[in-house]
Amino acid sequence: MTNDIRSRIANLSDQLHFHIYRYHVLNDPVIGDSEYDRMFRDLQDLEAEHPQYARADSPTQRVGSDLSGDFAKVAHPAPILSLANAFDEADLRHWEERNLRLLPSGSRLRYVLQPKLDGLAIVISYENGELIRAATRGNGVTGDDVTANVKTIRSAPLRIPLDPAAGPAPARLVVRGEILFHKDSFLELNREQAAQGLPAYVNARNTASGSLKQKDSRETAKRKLTAYIYDIVDSQGIELESEWQILRYLKSMGFKVLADASRCSSLDEAIEQAAAWEARRDDLPFEIDGLVLKVDELSAARELGVAGKDPRGAIAFKFPAEEAATTLLGITIGVGRTGKLTPTAQLEPVFIGGVTVSSASLHNYDQVAALDIRQGDRVVIKRSGDVIPYVIGPVIGARKGDETPIQPPQLCPFCVAEVVQPDGAIDWYCPNQICPERIMRALEFFVSRGAMDIEGMGPQTIAALIEERLIQDEADIFALQAEPLLALEGFAEKKVENLLSSIEAAKARPFEQVLTSLGIDGVGSTVAGLLTDNFASMADLQATAELISKAEASFLRNTLPLLPAAAADDSDVEKLRQRLRHPTTELAPRYMQGAELGPRLERLLRPLQLPVESLTLVAAQLQQLIDACRPLHTIEGLGPILARNIVDWFTDAHNQTVLKKMQAAGVNMKAEEKKVSGTALTGQTFVLTGTMSAPRGEIKALVEANGGKVTGGVSKKTSFVVAGDSPGSKVEKAEKNGVPILSEDELRALLGE
Ligand SMILES: [Zn+2]
């Protein structure tokens, strides 16, 4: 019995150490927070009952650490404590009873209740009102200095008070808060990732942590992080008596505090409010994993003191898990319209957050390998908001040894083509363009709302038409005739008539929608809009893609033979070689802006020790490629990977055939004629930047209505840059290229307004 307990304590300690490392050091947890909390609490309970077996290195004896080697270390003025957890009402009542026993008899406690943010803890120091330092929580005693990065977060004031009327700045104020993504900012970040052809971020908290730990604060600035402040760690020159006063004081200084914090006159009141919080959890702008309940009177909280690493006067009330562990029964593989293989976990059904979950996303095989998820594993599933449930990781401790590793399939399960993993890609693909599953998915997408929007063409109809060999690609839809359709089962006259008329109507969809419907990897309606803003027709876009492809082929043909014979041990040379093999993504974007390609390229290629004639040739070839790429690559919001996808799509023979058939069938492939009412700007090219009196689209229409052209990137061909409020880097580029800069008023003056 005693040996049992001793080994259970040792076992739990070991497991928790592993998970702490995954979570805090690698930023890559393999179990969910609630699973971790449960294990942690089990260990705490066992140690409390059997202190003689508690190990000196027990995870309960130390706080977690998010320290990483890249940053200077900062000592906090006071320990940044963590909170003990309560999981139900009984835990809360027990907590209050224990506290009351420690206080003079007859004491009554009031509480402040606020949401527990699921972000990254931060400690910010102000001296005489000026932000002088910001540090992560680290191990609670020492943190990483992330001052430069925190300064880019707009809700973290650089100077307090924001409103001078709030009174003088305190001589010294060290505050504690949390940095996180609002749900909509996180979604937006993932939309941008998608537009760049990059994989989506999965976990908002980890992404916030990663964003704050960028070495280059400009990278942090690009992420829309928010800083909430809720506590004072240390101060000089202010006297406050309650938690409630602290929150009000922080607010008066200009910090973003949790607007919905409430003061409760009793624990009953707090418990009642907690239920309401839980009910509206999904409606909040940020993720929360519970509530924080603090004793309001600071004098009482001080008297209660600290137990281990947790202050007795505060507790985290965790919401029931939206995570659960279950068994991974198997993997099914989906093939999308681009051929991408998506593994899905088939699970023993489990009840999470009010629904039964029997399958969950595994994202991709890279993720499966990174998490070491095996067939037969116990896995932890997370479900939050409307996100598809996903697998967080295996419960390593539950392994029996007969679990089998999961590998990507060698053949497409639908067409048995050999699957491929393109250079640099995370995903595996079925490369077969006539794979029935790919065609099915492509057609489903093609007819969907937002794409060609063909009513009456549901998945069953598509499947029937493929089965009868009436359609084999998107363009075949436009060649459908009444006769063969009427011969199909379930296709009455009325139904056929409606279907044919909605197909006819689809031919006139706007160019942007037609482009979206092609299903080019990463080209949704937003990117399609960017393309149609810059290309007047499908033919223009195709011509540009072909030009780029030709210039790239020429670059490769002419420059690769110049490379010196492989020196396998020289990694710099090998890296350069790789770059030269992918010039449109690795070289052209980098050298597109700015003058004097020659000397810059020479610096890059120095390790190759090429003779001067070779350098000149590489530069000439690259210049040719850059010129070809410019119309596509200078579109703002369109990254090199996406440009690559577009070029690949348009230069593919199968896709070209489909496009030709669509064109012949009368599908619209041109942007709408711009209505030109004046000629004041004819022949001039404009670039717009910054905030103007009207939306960018309206200003653009105004320029175009007067014969001008609007493009995304500044080049020597740009006639004017029009700069509104807080313009971006384009103004600098304009200055460098000698392009004149106009204000919005000056633009309007040109139009005689
Ligand atoms: Zn296939």
Side-chain angles (χ1 to χ4, degrees):
M1 172 70 194
T2 52
N3 262 334
D4 253 21
I5 287 162
R6 191 201 298 241
S7 70
R8 263 190 76 199
I9 287 180
N11 191 328
L12 277 169
S13 300
D14 287 344
Q15 286 206 39
L16 284 163
H17 276 307
F18 168 76
H19 293 304
I20 288 168
Y21 172 72
R22 293 294 303 213
Y23 186 89
H24 290 284
V25 180
L26 301 184
N27 256 338
D28 188 16
V30 292
I31 63 168
D33 291 350
S34 40
E35 187 98 350
Y36 177 86
D37 288 342
R38 266 198 298 278
M39 286 166 65
F40 195 91
R41 203 160 67 134
D42 285 350
L43 180 59
Q44 260 179 335
D45 290 350
L46 282 171
E47 286 176 347
E49 283 168 44
H50 310 278
Q52 68 274 29
Y53 299 136
R55 297 198 328 201
D57 70 343
S58 168
T60 61
Q61 303 302 309
R62 64 193 279 272
V63 290
S65 166
D66 62 13
L67 295 175
S68 50
D70 296 335
F71 295 88
K73 300 292 172 266
V74 176
H76 298 308
I80 305 302
L81 300 170
S82 56
L83 291 180
N85 289 324
F87 292 88
D88 53 27
E89 195 183 317
D91 287 350
L92 288 178
R93 299 221 180 265
H94 179 69
W95 171 64
E96 180 173 65
E97 280 160 24
R98 206 184 51 200
N99 283 344
L100 286 174
R101 278 203 298 275
L102 294 169
L103 293 171
S105 66
S107 296
R108 286 200 49 189
L109 292 172
R110 274 193 307 189
Y111 297 96
V112 170
L113 183 68
Q114 49 191 322
K116 184 173 186 301
L117 301 170
D118 192 13
L120 188 77
I122 191 86
V123 177
I124 312 181
S125 307
Y126 292 84
E127 259 166 36
N128 297 315
E130 194 186 337
L131 189 162
I132 55 154
R133 191 172 303 112
T136 64
R137 177 168 178 276
N139 57 18
V141 177
T142 307
D144 283 329
D145 186 338
V146 288
T147 312
N149 292 348
V150 168
K151 279 183 168 176
T152 68
I153 300 171
R154 297 199 174 157
S155 43
L158 297 179
R159 173 159 284 283
I160 53 167
L162 278 183
D163 177 3
R172 175 176 162 71
L173 185 70
V174 182
V175 297
R176 172 176 179 180
E178 205 99 352
I179 290 194
L180 46 80
F181 278 106
H182 274 184
K183 288 173 186 168
D184 54 359
S185 305
F186 190 62
L187 289 176
E188 191 187 320
L189 177 67
N190 271 338
R191 273 196 295 274
E192 282 162 15
Q193 284 289 106
Q196 303 284 321
L198 299 170
Y201 293 104
V202 177
N203 179 312
R205 193 203 167 278
N206 289 354
T207 311
S209 167
S211 303
L212 199 63
K213 293 202 165 185
Q214 295 287 327
K215 280 190 202 160
D216 182 347
S217 60
R218 282 169 301 186
E219 290 303 311
T220 311
K222 287 182 195 158
R223 315 278 176 87
K224 283 200 183 131
L225 294 163
T226 303
Y228 282 95
I229 302 298
Y230 51 74
D231 206 357
I232 294 178
V233 177
D234 193 21
S235 67
Q236 200 182 312
I238 45 172
E239 287 299 327
L240 299 168
E241 286 168 5
S242 68
E243 283 293 334
W244 191 244
Q245 278 183 6
I246 287 178
L247 289 181
R248 290 200 350 211
Y249 179 76
L250 289 171
K251 192 176 175 191
S252 75
M253 286 291 116
F255 292 104
K256 197 173 178 73
V257 300
L258 290 157
D260 293 334
S262 62
R263 197 180 205 182
C264 305
S265 59
S266 69
L267 188 64
D268 284 334
E269 195 183 323
I271 287 170
E272 205 171 290
Q273 288 198 15
W277 271 105
E278 201 184 327
R280 62 192 199 92
R281 173 181 191 177
D282 288 344
D283 303 327
L284 296 171
F286 37 69
E287 294 282 354
I288 66 172
D289 53 4
L291 300 167
V292 174
L293 198 56
K294 287 182 178 174
V295 169
D296 191 27
E297 287 84 358
L298 295 181
S299 59
R302 263 193 299 274
E303 207 174 328
L304 287 169
V306 174
K309 62 189 176 67
D310 308 328
R312 289 198 183 89
I315 199 160
F317 181 44
K318 294 280 194 129
F319 288 150
E322 293 208 82
E323 293 167 8
T326 185
T327 303
L328 176 64
L329 300 174
I331 305 279
T332 51
I333 301 162
V335 173
R337 60 178 202 268
T338 59
K340 182 156 75 182
L341 267 55
T342 311
T344 299
Q346 299 305 320
L347 307 165
E348 189 146 318
V350 59
F351 198 66
I352 316 176
V355 298
T356 301
V357 172
S358 56
S359 65
S361 173
L362 285 164
H363 303 292
N364 54 57
Y365 285 98
D366 232 39
Q367 177 96 342
V368 172
L371 294 175
D372 186 23
I373 297 169
R374 303 182 188 177
Q375 184 117 353
D377 260 339
R378 287 289 286 173
V379 288
V380 178
I381 311 302
K382 179 159 182 145
R383 178 182 170 270
S384 69
D386 6 317
V387 180
I388 301 165
Y390 60 94
V391 177
I392 297 179
V395 182
I396 304 278
R399 285 218 170 124
K400 295 189 204 80
D402 57 352
E403 297 79 8
T404 47
I406 295 164
Q407 305 284 355
Q410 286 177 326
L411 305 176
C412 168
F414 299 95
C415 71
V416 300
E418 211 163 300
V419 303
V420 294
Q421 187 175 37
D423 250 1
I426 290 170
D427 291 298
W428 289 82
Y429 289 83
C430 164
N432 176 11
Q433 282 166 321
I434 54 167
C435 169
E437 187 67 8
R438 285 186 60 178
I439 292 176
M440 181 71 201
R441 299 285 156 245
L443 286 168
E444 268 178 6
F445 179 75
F446 186 74
V447 304
S448 66
R449 206 159 292 194
M452 292 303 262
D453 197 5
I454 301 177
E455 226 172 287
M457 208 156 189
Q460 280 177 333
T461 304
I462 296 174
L465 295 175
I466 293 176
E467 172 83 33
E468 293 298 322
R469 307 199 132 253
L470 287 174
I471 50 174
Q472 270 152 17
D473 61 43
E474 293 90 332
D476 288 341
I477 290 175
F478 301 101
L480 284 174
Q481 302 285 325
E483 292 287 305
L485 285 177
L486 287 167
L488 299 181
E489 201 183 335
F491 282 72
E493 205 161 316
K494 190 71 197 159
K495 182 173 171 176
V496 170
E497 204 176 289
N498 287 344
L499 181 59
L500 291 178
S501 78
S502 56
I503 289 172
E504 192 57 33
K507 291 181 185 170
R509 299 276 177 253
F511 180 32
E512 194 176 314
Q513 243 172 290
V514 177
L515 200 49
T516 305
S517 70
L518 299 177
I520 303 167
D521 203 359
V523 181
S525 58
T526 311
V527 176
L530 292 176
L531 289 172
T532 55
D533 279 351
N534 289 275
F535 293 91
S537 69
M538 202 72 90
D540 282 2
L541 191 48
Q542 177 143 6
T544 298
E546 278 168 11
L547 209 58
I548 294 173
S549 177
K550 259 172 75 185
E552 184 182 41
S554 163
F555 180 94
L556 294 175
R557 199 170 50 241
N558 285 293
T559 64
L560 292 188
L562 304 176
L563 297 182
D569 53 336
D570 192 335
S571 68
D572 281 351
V573 170
E574 188 45 40
K575 257 185 226 157
L576 274 177
R577 203 182 282 281
Q578 276 303 322
R579 277 185 152 172
L580 287 166
R581 282 195 191 110
H582 301 100
T584 43
T585 47
E586 295 287 329
L587 292 175
R590 186 175 300 252
Y591 295 105
M592 191 152 296
Q593 304 293 346
E596 297 202 70
L597 173 63
R600 291 167 70 202
L601 196 60
E602 195 207 320
R603 271 199 300 280
L604 175 78
L605 299 182
R606 196 161 294 154
L608 297 179
Q609 296 176 322
L610 296 179
V612 180
E613 319 85 76
S614 299
L615 275 174
T616 315
L617 178 62
V618 176
Q621 287 288 328
L622 183 57
Q623 189 59 54
Q624 197 178 17
L625 180 62
I626 287 174
D627 291 340
C629 285
R630 202 179 295 279
L632 192 60
H633 284 65
T634 50
I635 298 175
E636 201 179 349
L638 196 142
I641 295 170
L642 208 44
R644 164 93 270 160
N645 289 349
I646 293 165
V647 171
D648 286 350
W649 196 93
F650 277 99
T651 50
D652 177 275
H654 170 82
N655 295 335
Q656 287 180 347
T657 310
V658 173
L659 271 185
K660 257 188 217 131
K661 277 160 73 181
M662 277 169 66
Q663 179 131 39
V667 175
N668 172 41
M669 298 211 169
K670 278 201 186 93
E672 229 174 299
E673 289 283 323
K674 304 265 162 57
K675 288 188 196 78
V676 177
S677 56
T679 52
L681 307 181
T682 301
Q684 319 261 39
T685 305
F686 293 77
V687 171
L688 310 177
T689 179
T691 315
M692 310 204 186
S693 66
R696 190 82 62 88
E698 270 178 44
I699 307 280
K700 178 168 181 278
L702 186 70
V703 170
E704 288 168 348
N706 285 280
K709 218 179 125 189
V710 174
T711 61
V714 179
S715 73
K716 284 186 177 150
K717 287 182 191 155
T718 310
S719 318
F720 297 101
V721 167
V722 185
D725 288 342
S726 30
S729 58
K730 287 177 183 169
V731 165
E732 282 163 41
K733 276 181 201 153
E735 281 164 354
K736 255 189 224 154
N737 285 293
V739 175
I741 299 162
L742 298 180
S743 68
E744 187 186 338
D745 287 343
E746 285 168 325
L747 170 68
R748 291 185 186 274
L750 278 184
L751 300 171
E753 278 191 12

